[in-house]
Amino acid sequence: MNVELMQHTSLAVTAHAIRTCWQSFENSDEGGEKDLALIDRVGNKFKHASTLEHLNYTFYLSGISRALLQELARHRMASLSVKSTRYTLKELKDETESFTNGMSMLELKEKYTNADEVYNDVHMKRASKYLVFTNILAVDFASVVALENLRLILQDAIANDMAKFCLPESYKTELTWTINARSLQNFISLRTNKSALWEIRDLANMIYKTLPEDHRYLFESCVSE
C-alpha cells in the first residue's frame, strides 16, 4: 500500500473563511499562531466544522484491495477516481503461467514447512503483484485460485466487462481521492479505531502521517491509540 499527498489547501483559506463570518480580517496574522489557534478554536472546539470544509486534500492511493475500496465508498463526502478494471486487465491477460501450478491448498501446505516459505513460493509471489494478502493462508490461497480462474477466463477471449465479475475482493486497485478536512476527521476517527478492518486502519494511519506537519494538529485528537 502506498499513500501520496498530491495537493492540499492552505490553512490560510480556512482562517479567511472563519474571519469572513465576523469580518475580523484585521486580526489576522497571515497564517501565524493567531490564525492557527482560531481554526482550532472555531473548527474543533466550537464545532463550527463547516469552516473546515474549505480545506481539501488530494491523495493518490495504490496497492489497496477492492474490499478496502468498497469501505472508502461509504465515506460519501469525498471524490474518488478509480483505476478502471475494464481497461486494465490486459496485464493479467498477458500472464502465461499458472498462479497455482495445479496445486491445491493442502498440497501447497505440505510442500513447505512454514507459512513464510509458502508466501515465498514463486507462484504466490507472482500473485502478490495483483492481490492484497491477509496472511491467513486459506483465505489467500482462495484468492490465488480466483485469480487463476480469472486469468483463464481472460485467455478465453471473454470481454473484460464480463470477466471482471470473477474478480476476488483482494484484487489490487488504485485511485485519486479528494476529501475535505471535516470528512477526513471523521474518516481518521472511525478508521484508526481498533475495531476497523486492519487494511483500512493501516490506510488511515498512513494518511494521517502523510498530512503536512502544520495541518496535523487538526487531526491529532481523531487518531485512536
Side-chain angles (χ1 to χ4, degrees):
M1 179 190 301
N2 292 292
V3 175
E4 176 189 350
L5 177 64
M6 298 180 65
Q7 68 87 30
H8 63 278
T9 311
S10 167
L11 290 169
V13 173
T14 292
H16 187 277
I18 294 170
R19 294 198 182 281
T20 299
C21 299
W22 291 285
Q23 292 291 289
S24 61
F25 302 117
E26 70 279 1
N27 295 327
S28 172
D29 60 353
E30 304 300 327
E33 292 299 321
K34 287 174 63 178
D35 281 353
L36 295 180
L38 176 72
I39 296 170
D40 187 39
R41 184 170 66 254
V42 174
N44 284 342
K45 294 185 174 66
F46 294 169
K47 303 301 181 185
H48 189 8
S50 62
T51 57
L52 299 180
E53 293 175 5
H54 296 284
L55 278 176
N56 286 284
Y57 305 88
T58 297
F59 300 93
Y60 183 56
L61 312 178
S62 58
I64 68 167
S65 71
R66 291 175 64 85
L68 194 160
L69 176 63
Q70 286 194 49
E71 293 202 47
L72 278 181
R74 293 171 187 162
H75 294 269
R76 292 182 295 277
M77 300 304 291
S79 299
L80 299 82
S81 297
V82 184
K83 177 181 179 180
S84 170
T85 305
R86 179 181 181 184
Y87 292 107
T88 58
L89 283 175
K90 184 179 184 300
E91 59 179 351
L92 180 59
K93 186 176 182 178
D94 289 343
E95 293 277 359
T96 57
E97 291 184 55
S98 168
F99 289 104
T100 61
N101 198 29
M103 288 190 294
S104 67
M105 187 179 72
L106 180 61
E107 290 170 325
L108 189 68
K109 289 171 72 174
E110 289 178 344
K111 182 178 177 181
Y112 300 107
T113 59
N114 60 63
D116 286 342
E117 290 181 341
V118 172
Y119 287 105
N120 281 320
D121 177 89
V122 62
H123 301 288
M124 293 290 281
K125 291 188 80 170
R126 281 179 51 240
S128 69
K129 174 184 175 182
Y130 299 96
L131 303 175
V132 173
F133 284 150
T134 65
N135 291 320
I136 301 172
L137 184 56
V139 173
D140 293 339
F141 190 72
S143 291
V144 174
V145 170
L147 182 71
E148 174 62 9
N149 289 338
L150 176 58
R151 184 186 72 86
L152 294 174
I153 285 170
L154 288 169
Q155 294 195 338
D156 279 344
I158 293 175
N160 288 1
D161 274 353
M162 296 294 103
K164 70 182 182 182
F165 281 87
C166 300
L167 279 166
E169 288 283 78
S170 55
Y171 198 81
K172 288 181 178 178
T173 190
E174 53 200 69
L175 68 151
T176 300
W177 190 57
T178 299
I179 188 168
N180 68 56
R182 184 182 192 177
S183 295
L184 187 57
Q185 285 181 335
N186 175 257
F187 175 81
I188 291 174
S189 176
L190 292 174
R191 300 306 190 170
T192 59
N193 189 280
K194 64 181 180 181
S195 64
L197 184 69
W198 64 270
E199 189 184 10
I200 201 167
R201 189 167 66 244
D202 288 350
L203 175 64
N205 281 300
M206 289 177 69
I207 284 173
Y208 172 72
K209 292 174 183 175
T210 307
L211 291 169
E213 287 190 18
D214 59 337
H215 287 236
R216 289 182 198 168
Y217 80 107
L218 294 174
F219 302 91
E220 285 175 353
S221 63
C222 303
V223 180
S224 297
E225 296 294 333

